[in-house]
Amino acid sequence: MTDDLPGRTQGTMDFSSASGMFSGINQNSPNHGTQNYITAALDGEALASLLRRTAPQTVAADGLSWLRARFVRPTGFDAMLSRVRPEGSTLLLGGKSGAGKEATARMLLSRTEGEPIRLISVQPEDGGSLIEPDAVLSGDNLLLHLSEADEKTFDACCRRLVGLRAEVAVKRARLVVVLPPWAERRLPPDLRPLCTEVVAPDRIAVLRSHLETHDLDLRADEVPADLRGQIEELGMDGVAELVHHAVATAGGIIERLRTALAVIHEQASAVTRMMSDLDTRARALSAALALLEGGSVDVVAAAERELLEQVEYTEEPAPQLQDVGLTIRASRLQAVVEQRRVRFDNTWRGQAVLAHLWDAYPQMHAVFASWVSAVGLDRTTDDADLERITERFVSQAMRAGYVDDVLSVVVNWADKRKPLREQALALLGRAAVDDRFGYLARRRVYFWSRDPALSPALAEAVVAVCERVLGVDFPNQAIVRLRYLAEHPDAATAALATAALVRLTEDRQMLRRFLADGESTTRPAVFRAVVRPERLVSAGPGGKSLLANSAVRAQVVAGWRAALADEGWADTAMTWMATGSPAVMDVLVTACAGAWGPLADLFAANRRLLRLSPEDERVRRAAIDMERRIQLVRDPLAVGTKEEQRC
């Protein structure tokens, strides 16, 4: 199986022509804007928290709280809620783009604080079918996002929804599916009754809701007609961007909104006009300023030189003292130098410059990735600079769909100094949960997890992303990838992955997902390391243990039957028997039943346990109970075999 990603290829380019490309301009190139992602020092729990905050698809408590504070119910929301409230229900949300379908879906599924929402991937990343019904667990709140699906994928998902809906009903779960705008004409007849249209709420109402969270008041009747018309043209994301700019300006609320709208409309055209008048060297400085805005003049100058080298710029620079210098050159690009740090004269220009570069020069995306990687590796780049680079680069690359560019930087940074390793991890985590292109990154992580030659440094990043990012958003995929890594030929990598699986499965639902993964119970070493008896017998919601569930019990028995072929299983069985739990002992005896050798070994292990703790009354009672259970299933085996006598 090839390790190349479909759709986008890194490839190589003729650098001899890159300088010419960079000096050209596409003045009609669209500027789609960018999103801001938080980056910070990454370590331990702070890293886990950061990765969850930076992941657009993370349905975490803080993200839902943010949405809940701003959400304006669309018409018919109560009727939708009544349809999705019953356990085992499925609801399909149609409607135009920008209507707020995903926000509506999340609010429908998030009925109480702290209630988790699980996302379902539609990509066959692990070699399976689209939408695996087996991934559904009892009581799950599931969100299936099809709004970006093409027609082929959509049709395949509709066919798979039959099995998924049945599983949702059996497991008393809930499922909400977000449909693309054109879905109604392609929906099968049996799914149409499940569909309802989401009509976007009044934009002014949404705007007011957003402003209220910033303690800004806006009365609907004070919005002039011309301003109302412009606001109503915005999608839900556009309203959020409008508020972002309005909060950053001064004046009355109407003045702020007008200024913010002007900024939004002006960004693309202003940057296009500016860039069209620049030569290659000035464009390189503009790119360096945008990538490292807030950084020192030293790192900006180094980044400019690096980009010129990447595009093989050959024009000889003027002697140093004849050149006007970076400060004056930066001022010509609407940037200022204060205390040796460089920034643009307004908050949006740097973002707009980067978006322009990725849009106007699509043939140079690999060059930009190589440039970003090299700037990060430069010793003049400090930790704060690395955070700026990570945030800005990943936003542009993922927006444009250049997933392999992000992954190439991850590989280049993963085995370097600690700050670079941390930012490589942030890049990988951000790419893995991208709304549109995350499946490509997750597929690469899948290939990496199965690669016996995977470097320890990259393996460390992959394990961390599986545990802390995929474990939240795509738990089944996290388990599959960690399971492969737990069998990696490198002992350190295997131990790291196993420890991550152990931590993940401290959550009861994750342990159930691990057991439900058919392959996990056939890996004896992984099974014995992850499945702990105390987790199986502890009381959960409703006072029931996991082993009280017949499906879970059958999976544990299957895992133990596979483990009987593995050396050292009897020692693990002793730790299980030491719990004294009748349910645990029943599992062990059932797994060994019908096989003379395993039963004899289990009997011997039970006697060893008793011999090691002769004064422990609890162990003694458990050993007697275990021996009785073995006797019940061992007939016609004779008592007093040589194996037993050795104990």
Side-chain angles (χ1 to χ4, degrees):
M1 184 177 292
T2 178
D3 197 39
D4 291 333
L5 295 177
R8 304 281 188 179
T9 55
Q10 190 77 1
T12 58
M13 69 174 297
D14 182 1
F15 285 145
S16 64
S17 62
S19 177
M21 293 177 185
F22 199 40
S23 61
I25 192 74
N26 178 359
Q27 299 188 38
N28 297 318
S29 175
N31 185 328
H32 300 291
T34 59
Q35 296 178 346
N36 284 317
Y37 296 97
I38 303 168
T39 54
L42 309 178
D43 196 11
E45 289 305 312
L47 170 61
S49 174
L50 166 70
L51 289 175
R52 289 178 180 132
R53 288 201 309 273
T54 58
Q57 282 200 352
T58 297
V59 191
D62 54 354
L64 289 172
S65 296
W66 183 95
L67 177 59
R68 192 175 288 109
R70 294 159 175 79
F71 183 67
V72 176
R73 294 185 170 201
T75 302
F77 182 83
D78 288 338
M80 299 177 207
L81 194 58
S82 66
R83 294 179 64 179
V84 81
R85 183 177 286 122
E87 294 177 336
S89 60
T90 296
L91 181 65
L92 279 57
L93 298 182
K96 297 178 180 178
S97 296
K101 289 177 289 188
E102 182 166 348
T104 300
R106 296 189 180 203
M107 288 298 96
L108 287 171
L109 289 169
S110 175
R111 295 172 303 284
T112 61
E113 290 282 354
E115 195 165 17
I117 297 173
R118 299 293 187 190
L119 301 164
I120 301 178
S121 174
V122 299
Q123 298 296 332
E125 298 155 52
D126 302 330
S129 303
L130 293 173
I131 310 179
E132 295 290 354
D134 291 345
V136 181
L137 293 181
S138 177
D140 262 349
N141 294 308
L142 303 170
L143 174 56
L144 174 57
H145 202 317
L146 298 181
S147 61
E148 299 288 345
D150 57 32
E151 293 186 351
K152 180 180 178 181
T153 301
F154 179 78
D155 292 344
C157 287
C158 286
R159 292 191 294 270
R160 296 289 296 177
L161 269 174
V162 176
L164 183 63
R165 283 181 56 208
E167 196 69 12
V168 165
V170 169
K171 298 292 179 61
R172 302 174 70 83
R174 295 175 180 86
L175 170 66
V176 175
V177 184
V178 179
L179 302 175
W182 41 263
E184 187 176 355
R185 61 185 170 83
R186 297 187 72 92
L187 272 180
D190 60 317
L191 293 180
R192 288 174 187 167
L194 302 174
C195 186
T196 187
E197 182 180 2
V198 177
V199 178
D202 177 67
R203 296 293 195 275
I204 301 299
V206 176
L207 175 62
R208 292 179 64 194
S209 177
H210 277 259
L211 289 171
E212 285 172 1
T213 64
H214 296 280
D215 296 323
L216 295 173
D217 295 326
L218 174 69
R219 297 197 315 272
D221 59 3
E222 70 177 313
V223 182
D226 65 317
L227 188 59
R228 179 184 292 272
Q230 294 181 68
I231 293 171
E232 288 176 348
E233 292 177 359
L234 299 173
M236 295 298 147
D237 291 340
V239 172
E241 184 181 4
L242 174 64
V243 172
H244 170 75
H245 290 296
V247 169
T249 61
I253 187 60
I254 299 301
E255 181 184 358
R256 287 186 179 207
L257 292 174
R258 289 193 184 280
T259 301
L261 281 168
V263 167
I264 292 172
H265 293 151
E266 176 65 13
Q267 286 180 4
S269 57
V271 168
T272 299
R273 288 194 303 270
M274 180 185 78
M275 298 292 281
S276 65
D277 295 331
L278 302 179
D279 60 17
T280 300
R281 188 163 174 246
R283 287 186 189 127
L285 177 58
S286 180
L289 288 169
L291 184 69
L292 287 151
E293 183 176 8
S296 69
V297 292
D298 301 296
V299 72
V300 170
E304 179 196 14
R305 290 193 301 272
E306 180 62 41
L307 183 54
L308 290 173
E309 289 180 12
Q310 292 281 345
V311 299
E312 297 192 355
Y313 179 72
T314 56
E315 185 177 330
E316 289 293 328
Q320 291 184 2
L321 288 180
Q322 290 184 24
D323 190 83
V324 294
L326 189 143
T327 301
I328 295 176
R329 293 174 58 225
S331 69
R332 294 171 180 171
L333 300 172
Q334 288 79 52
V336 295
V337 178
E338 295 176 340
Q339 297 180 334
R340 302 195 80 251
R341 295 197 169 271
V342 189
R343 62 173 178 80
F344 285 105
D345 59 7
N346 61 58
T347 58
W348 57 263
R349 190 176 299 276
Q351 224 178 40
V353 167
L354 288 176
H356 174 85
L357 291 171
W358 259 262
D359 291 340
Y361 303 99
Q363 73 276 37
M364 289 186 63
H365 66 91
V367 174
F368 291 143
S370 179
W371 170 55
V372 166
S373 180
V375 171
L377 293 170
D378 194 302
R379 284 290 175 178
T380 63
T381 306
D382 63 21
D383 294 359
D385 293 326
L386 283 173
E387 293 167 14
R388 298 183 184 100
I389 292 171
T390 297
E391 174 186 344
R392 294 160 187 170
F393 166 63
V394 74
S395 297
Q396 294 305 323
M398 296 306 297
R399 180 180 63 84
Y402 300 132
V403 181
D404 47 347
D405 290 352
V406 176
L407 300 181
S408 71
V409 176
V410 170
V411 172
N412 288 341
W413 287 358
D415 61 348
K416 301 303 187 295
R417 55 193 171 93
K418 183 180 178 182
L420 282 165
R421 295 198 306 271
E422 292 169 342
Q423 295 306 320
L425 178 52
L427 286 172
L428 183 56
R430 166 66 180 84
V433 288
D434 183 78
D435 283 321
R436 296 169 60 204
F437 302 107
Y439 74 93
L440 293 174
R442 295 193 298 276
R443 182 176 295 169
R444 177 62 66 88
V445 170
Y446 175 71
F447 291 150
W448 279 340
S449 73
R450 302 193 66 176
D451 182 4
L454 185 70
S455 72
L458 187 54
E460 185 176 352
V462 170
V463 168
V465 165
C466 286
E467 179 184 359
R468 301 168 187 175
V469 180
L470 299 188
V472 176
D473 283 342
F474 301 95
N476 290 76
Q477 294 180 31
I479 286 170
V480 168
R481 287 150 179 75
L482 287 173
R483 169 168 51 74
Y484 281 122
L485 287 163
E487 297 184 306
H488 196 275
D490 176 66
T493 295
L496 202 64
T498 301
L501 273 174
V502 170
R503 288 190 296 269
L504 267 183
T505 53
E506 288 176 358
D507 177 82
R508 291 170 65 89
Q509 290 290 80
M510 288 299 289
L511 180 54
R512 288 190 61 187
R513 291 179 189 278
F514 175 83
L515 291 168
D517 172 40
E519 294 295 319
S520 293
T521 53
T522 64
R523 265 74 172 181
V526 178
F527 172 83
R528 286 162 49 198
V530 172
V531 183
R532 309 289 177 85
E534 60 273 14
R535 296 179 181 178
L536 296 171
V537 298
S538 61
K544 290 187 176 181
S545 70
L546 285 176
L547 276 183
N549 182 296
S550 59
V552 171
R553 182 186 179 280
Q555 290 156 356
V556 176
V557 168
W560 264 108
R561 282 182 176 150
L564 296 178
D566 196 40
E567 227 176 281
W569 70 266
D571 292 334
T572 305
M574 286 175 61
T575 66
W576 281 55
M577 290 186 288
T579 64
S581 166
V584 167
M585 291 187 283
D586 183 59
V587 163
L588 293 172
V589 172
T590 303
C592 295
W596 189 95
L599 268 178
D601 290 340
L602 188 63
F603 189 96
N606 187 50
R607 288 290 181 88
R608 284 201 304 274
L609 179 63
L610 181 59
R611 189 177 64 221
L612 290 171
S613 306
E615 306 301 325
D616 191 324
E617 181 62 22
R618 183 182 60 84
V619 171
R620 191 185 71 82
R621 288 197 303 267
I624 292 172
D625 185 26
M626 185 55 141
E627 189 161 323
R628 181 183 61 81
R629 292 173 184 275
I630 294 173
Q631 294 287 2
L632 287 174
V633 299
R634 66 180 299 179
D635 246 1
L637 295 177
V639 179
T641 63
K642 290 182 179 180
E643 178 63 31
E644 295 163 12
Q645 293 169 3
R646 286 200 299 270
C647 302

